[in-house]
Amino acid sequence: PASVSRSCDRGERIAPPELKMGAAGCGCETQDGNVRIQRATLEYCTGHCKLEKLWHAVSNDLQYITMDDVRLAVHQAFLLFVHKRNPTAPKPTKEITKQYVDDIMDEVKDILDPSDEGKFISFLDFEKYGKYIKREWKMLTPMTASKRTSASSVEGKSVQIDARNLSVSRSL
């Protein structure tokens, strides 16, 4: 099948098998838009593609996107993060998802458009979302690897680090 190939017909690099989320081997138009956005989000957060790929998945190759497009990207990222945190958990209901996405959108709106006047988001503005989503991914990754905390011991002293809140407590 085509999944043996290392790039798609658009020249995009295909992610390693562990990153493949959809049935096809790339993030092109052959996949559902939501799957393309989730896959591009995963690849971007894990360093397997640049932000441009996520932008193209969200914008459908347009120069600007709307806050509705950003909301779709946030929604798909939320579903991806929930799955990453607990792969065996059932998919959250629409009601639960909406509550979380609304809260996240409040943060993202402040990042993208502090004046709350902009109807269109450019790629330069979208770069702020890229930084936000990567920061959130980095906070999520240690939580999934070590269940929120990790401990190290140096000369009988223990240091406990909370990966989510970045707080440190010491017991000497």
Side-chain angles (χ1 to χ4, degrees), residues 152-165:
S152 64
S153 180
V154 179
E155 297 177 15
K157 299 175 184 174
S158 140
V159 179
Q160 195 75 13
I161 302 171
D162 182 335
R164 176 68 176 157
N165 297 320

Side-chain angles (χ1 to χ4, degrees), residues 75-140:
H75 181 258
Q76 294 307 314
F78 174 75
L79 293 175
L80 172 68
F81 282 39
V82 167
H83 178 75
K84 171 70 176 169
R85 188 168 188 185
N86 188 352
T88 60
K91 185 177 176 181
T93 64
K94 287 183 180 183
E95 294 79 25
I96 291 173
T97 302
K98 183 183 179 328
Q99 292 170 3
Y100 281 100
V101 170
D102 287 346
D103 290 343
I104 296 166
M105 280 302 295
D106 287 341
E107 286 183 57
V108 171
K109 282 179 188 175
D110 289 341
I111 293 168
L112 292 179
D113 187 20
S115 66
D116 201 33
E117 294 176 12
K119 293 183 179 181
F120 298 102
I121 308 298
S122 69
F123 180 77
L124 292 175
D125 294 325
F126 192 72
E127 287 178 328
K128 298 171 191 172
Y129 172 75
K131 289 177 184 177
Y132 171 84
I133 200 79
K134 265 213 172 160
R135 184 182 69 236
E136 293 297 316
W137 181 264
K138 286 179 183 176
M139 288 191 291
L140 173 70

